[in-house]
Amino acid sequence: MKVSIVGVTGYSGLELIRYLRQHPKVEIVSIHSHSMHKKSISDINPHLKNIISLPLEEFNAEKIMEGSDLVFFATPSGISKELVQPFVTAEFPIIDLSGDFRLTSGGTYERWYGKTSAPLDLVKKFEYGLAECRKNPKAIWIANPGCYATATELTFAPLLENKLIQLDSMIIDGKSGLSGAGKGLSQTTHFTETNENMSVYKLNQHQHIPEIIQQFKVWAPEIEAIQFSTSLIPVTRGIFLTSYVKASQSISTEQLIDVFKKYYQGKKFIRIQPENQFPELKQVVGSNYCDIGVTYNQTTNIISLVTVIDNLGKGAAGQAVQNLNIMAGFPEELGLNAVPLYP
Amino acid sequence: MKVSIVGVTGYSGLELIRYLRQHPKVEIVSIHSHSMHKKSISDINPHLKNIISLPLEEFNAEKIMEGSDLVFFATPSGISKELVQPFVTAEFPIIDLSGDFRLTSGGTYERWYGKTSAPLDLVKKFEYGLAECRKNPKAIWIANPGCYATATELTFAPLLENKLIQLDSMIIDGKSGLSGAGKGLSQTTHFTETNENMSVYKLNQHQHIPEIIQQFKVWAPEIEAIQFSTSLIPVTRGIFLTSYVKASQSISTEQLIDVFKKYYQGKKFIRIQPENQFPELKQVVGSNYCDIGVTYNQTTNIISLVTVIDNLGKGAAGQAVQNLNIMAGFPEELGLNAVPLYP
Amino acid sequence: MKVSIVGVTGYSGLELIRYLRQHPKVEIVSIHSHSMHKKSISDINPHLKNIISLPLEEFNAEKIMEGSDLVFFATPSGISKELVQPFVTAEFPIIDLSGDFRLTSGGTYERWYGKTSAPLDLVKKFEYGLAECRKNPKAIWIANPGCYATATELTFAPLLENKLIQLDSMIIDGKSGLSGAGKGLSQTTHFTETNENMSVYKLNQHQHIPEIIQQFKVWAPEIEAIQFSTSLIPVTRGIFLTSYVKASQSISTEQLIDVFKKYYQGKKFIRIQPENQFPELKQVVGSNYCDIGVTYNQTTNIISLVTVIDNLGKGAAGQAVQNLNIMAGFPEELGLNAVPLYP
Amino acid sequence: MKVSIVGVTGYSGLELIRYLRQHPKVEIVSIHSHSMHKKSISDINPHLKNIISLPLEEFNAEKIMEGSDLVFFATPSGISKELVQPFVTAEFPIIDLSGDFRLTSGGTYERWYGKTSAPLDLVKKFEYGLAECRKNPKAIWIANPGCYATATELTFAPLLENKLIQLDSMIIDGKSGLSGAGKGLSQTTHFTETNENMSVYKLNQHQHIPEIIQQFKVWAPEIEAIQFSTSLIPVTRGIFLTSYVKASQSISTEQLIDVFKKYYQGKKFIRIQPENQFPELKQVVGSNYCDIGVTYNQTTNIISLVTVIDNLGKGAAGQAVQNLNIMAGFPEELGLNAVPLYP
């Protein structure tokens, strides 16, 4: 299978290269960047020397469709929505890692991203690519979920589908490493400002909130709101999510673990932790795993959950490759068997 | 004023030296350690060379009372309860930084610390030293609060005393730097295990929980439980607390900020952030400040609060010096005017 | 090919698992630890869950030889020298990652490791496994080089073999991440002591010095001494080596780069940087690459070199797998094609 | 004494505030920034809230001279040379922290800073402010040394003045924390690029090289060149310098330590380490100390030295305050007695 990557110089694009280079059935045939064409990717990214030496090319839909079987967009929000039309017209497979094709209800993209949405009928052609919960495995246009959204939805899916929680009590306290802020330069990503620091950056305002609520409504249509905070911690990779929610019925930690194990049975990338054990961020870095620990506090009737993913792996490129595998009919794990980089 | 420090080689003891060396009215006359006596403190801690060269002495209550006017205990839990009796008998001033004299109800210390408590009538002689909320400024025996407890109580005091929240809805998500785990060696404090990592370490089990509830009951006796989690983040110093609680009445962010400003009027070390601004951890490191940001989410009826302190400053040695100032009748800020170490 | 790993719970052992799990021709059939047998490796190391679930077994030479084709020792120094005899007697292949079979001259191991050496005739049966400079590809007993030794020898090999430098002027300033200090607990590896810090730990005393000199003498027998310092920097993985040496003849940077490129022609894991470019540590983390930058300063007649490796990759497990490939006649890169984990 | 600070929003300017706020004889009366005037400094820097609330003013030489007794320039290179003339004309005291008045020989500033120099006769009016080696304590115009230059010159002064080393053999391997790169945004200071990384950034090209050689020539006029490299390590503050130089005569470590102790006798901020002990970076962070360790290797005839300073303290603002103390006739330590922030 031959693929092209558009927007390859950002962190998600580079991570796509990392995963795809290990995929036994996929070959990267062209890579595209609006800013630095002509140069070789390994000149700009010396870690890729002797590994991949394709030149950075200008975007050209026709050439991509001629040479490839699928195109990844790893562009910032607002780009792919301007570029996908020729691929859709030609029924050519797309996996989009940006937020451009995730929000299906009118005005939502505008409000949270501050940009004009793609036409909603075009958006609706895209399948939301939460890999463990995909509806239509044959979909050829995939809106790959956001990193926070992936972690949050995988955390609450078993609770919502099994109707175990009070819907107005969900509190999600998310923390992200700095690669989540992208390669752009700002005070927020300056080492001296960030190192030895922690800061809230979007309280009740993160653009993944509507994405999460939209997906939650699939499982529990009466949901109206969630409490969602996001902080930066001084690490490069990873999302660490602590969630709190009131149980709607009598339950125990043991029962909760059973619910999660059953829900994710056969899903190799979701690893439910044993009782009294919570995942550490580092145990998933560099991989496509999502590890979840859960406990119930009888005194407060609160279920606490700890969820960890690599924001560039399961939260972006890893899940995108998993979606490619689903689309192509490959085993879901193909090319994704990298052991997390511990220590 | 002459003071002695018992347990000077731990992080809190060293931080006491750091603050007291800048205090214009205090002289450190003796320092004590059970493990390394005879050596000079600056041989073991080269950062103190040319600054303080007192020898480490064995503990000797008589000699301390002869030479000093006050004794600090910066010992691990379980030590000071065995050592204070002669000082109490002699009506000699004590500031204890450990957990030994904080919990006044029977069986609580045993359950949370796993050790025998000091006799409860002795414990009750100690005033709980939450400096901004002290009851008896003349107290000469002070139980200096825990670091998490300090941050949590200063966060909720205005809300509880003004009856603004639903008491069964308090969720506190605390994160601490590694100095909070002390100088002891364990996998938890190994650089390679902790760096680029984040982990929950005590979910519903932190020994500051009963201390917090005890103090909360002073303000709202009907409180029964709180949801309290603690995680480690890869920084050296600092506590970063995110709290969530449901409002019990119609309120706005603006009103909440007013409540906090009024409650802490004249309290120089509590800095309430302006609307839409939340404190970063780094803005208090190296100081005795406690910075609090608050916001109200109308959609979920949840008040979110972000609180930061230096666990060794306001959370330990800084507050201890503040308590000394109160006891001695000095201005509360004396010796505590260090500017936070930013960047 | 079936392999066993002895000493699997240390960082090098875990890294062997990480590489071997991606090797298409190798299967790990048993793993051994003296301390924690019976448990599953993934119970102790949650990052391995769903990846490998072998039990930790007691060491048993007979059983290993029955079930496997090769044994790795990833044990601390002083262990493998007590365990290898039955394998040698049986002509069974060994790759030893410790320092036990590297030093061939009498008294050297004793002086630098402070322990009794293995018998020298046994030591001499082992081939020194500097993969790019191997003498006997058919050797079945390999002493895998130390991490600092690997970086230093790969840096100086082209200069020594081409007689380009003054032999009494070699200065090597090495820096290592904390995983190089192993999993053991000490003040040196305590996060709070190490974070935001840098410290020299072995000046003129590192046990890799005799290993380096021994190898240097192969290329230039008249060498007597090197100046070699090692510091700790607050990162998890990686060795960053800065070297200085006086040129023995008129030379230019361009010529030096040519010398290096020619010397390492066809050696995929050695990546010589273009002129005026020096490798960053991060561009090799998680991989088996060794990247080298070189420049000549006409004013001082000094050649400066910057060399980076992952101490657990090229400096330990990666090179060990490369040596397995050489021994087995596989392509050298097999199982080692992981892209460095950037960012 | 009343002072003004021009360029107060950079890291050196903020650090000046930190030190001066603790100085018992100095009051900051006005602060100036070209970019953000009108705002209060504590609005932009929340760590300064309740500490200093002066407004940021436009630069105005007349007003400064009316209200103050001395002006600090903490501006980037190229600014103060355009602004100082009215102060010099009025014989008004200046301490300049930039590189604008350090290089006294024609063409040097141009070559290394890439900008037009201030007129050389103006430059020569400034005394080079290496505080422990000041020539004219009455000078009122001070060129405060660069951070790397301070560390390097304090390291070599005793060796050069005592003629103990071979002058063509000096090799200095410097490492700096990221605050040394300033507040400006670049790939180099992006957390994700810098964290878990180390990189050489100026090999033989750092602008402090001519400053160091100029000062070295004061002590040993025949010096021609030094080998000088600078790397970035992932810490916020601090310079860690490893130096290597050949002895010119028979010497021992003990003798070297004596030479250093004698040379710096009475200089409280220079702390010579005992034999076999080398300073760690952290033992000076937040302070004005410069700690030096030295050892001699008989085998290679090389003297190795390890030197640590806080680049913002002794390397900038701390030394500037020390120079103010010298100028004003205060004790050198006044306002500089902060204990290093350990841990």
Side-chain angles (χ1 to χ4, degrees), chain B residues 53 91 94 119 155 190 201 212 264 275 287 319 325 332:
Chain B
S53 57
E91 304 252 317
I94 303 166
T155 302
H190 192 297
Y201 68 106
I212 293 165
Y264 287 121
E275 196 162 345
S287 82
Q319 184 155 249
N325 286 339
E332 260 185 60

Side-chain angles (χ1 to χ4, degrees), chain A residues 173 192-193 227 244 282 342, chain B residues 173 192-193 244 282 342:
Chain A
D173 190 284
T192 307
E193 306 288 326
Q227 180 66 34
Y244 304 95
K282 226 171 175 167
Y342 168 86
Chain B
D173 189 285
T192 307
E193 305 290 326
Y244 304 95
K282 225 171 175 167
Y342 169 86

Side-chain angles (χ1 to χ4, degrees), chain A residues 168 173 192-193 195-198 204 227 229 235-236 240 242 244 246 280-282 297 300 304 342, chain B residues 168 173 192-193 195-198 204 227 229 235-236 240 242 244 246 280-282 297 300 304 342:
Chain A
D168 63 346
D173 190 284
T192 307
E193 306 288 326
N195 180 42
E196 293 292 285
N197 206 354
M198 177 166 180
N204 305 323
Q227 180 66 34
S229 316
V235 304
T236 298
F240 188 97
T242 327
Y244 304 95
K246 297 218 169 188
E280 304 198 353
L281 187 55
K282 226 171 175 167
N297 182 346
T300 57
S304 301
Y342 168 86
Chain B
D168 63 346
D173 189 285
T192 307
E193 305 290 326
N195 180 41
E196 292 293 284
N197 206 354
M198 175 166 182
N204 305 323
Q227 180 66 34
S229 317
V235 305
T236 298
F240 188 98
T242 325
Y244 304 95
K246 296 220 170 187
E280 304 197 355
L281 186 56
K282 225 171 175 167
N297 183 347
T300 58
S304 301
Y342 169 86

Side-chain angles (χ1 to χ4, degrees), chain C residues 263-282:
Chain C
Y263 189 86
Y264 287 121
Q265 197 158 21
K267 304 295 184 185
K268 192 197 158 184
F269 293 118
I270 315 295
R271 304 188 295 191
I272 308 307
Q273 306 296 295
E275 198 164 343
N276 293 321
Q277 201 174 308
F278 296 93
E280 305 197 355
L281 187 55
K282 224 171 177 168

Side-chain angles (χ1 to χ4, degrees), chain C residues 168 173 192-193 195-198 204 227 229 235-236 240 244 246 280-282 297 300 304 342-343, chain D residues 168 173 192-193 195-198 204 227 229 235-236 240 242 244 246 280-282 297 300 304 342:
Chain C
D168 64 345
D173 190 285
T192 307
E193 306 289 324
N195 180 42
E196 291 293 285
N197 206 355
M198 176 167 179
N204 306 322
Q227 180 66 35
S229 317
V235 304
T236 297
F240 187 97
Y244 305 94
K246 296 220 170 188
E280 305 197 355
L281 187 55
K282 224 171 177 168
N297 182 347
T300 57
S304 302
Y342 168 86
Chain D
D168 64 345
D173 190 285
T192 306
E193 306 288 326
N195 179 42
E196 293 291 286
N197 206 355
M198 175 166 182
N204 305 321
Q227 180 66 33
S229 316
V235 305
T236 298
F240 187 97
T242 326
Y244 304 94
K246 296 217 169 189
E280 304 197 355
L281 187 56
K282 225 170 176 168
N297 182 346
T300 58
S304 301
Y342 169 86

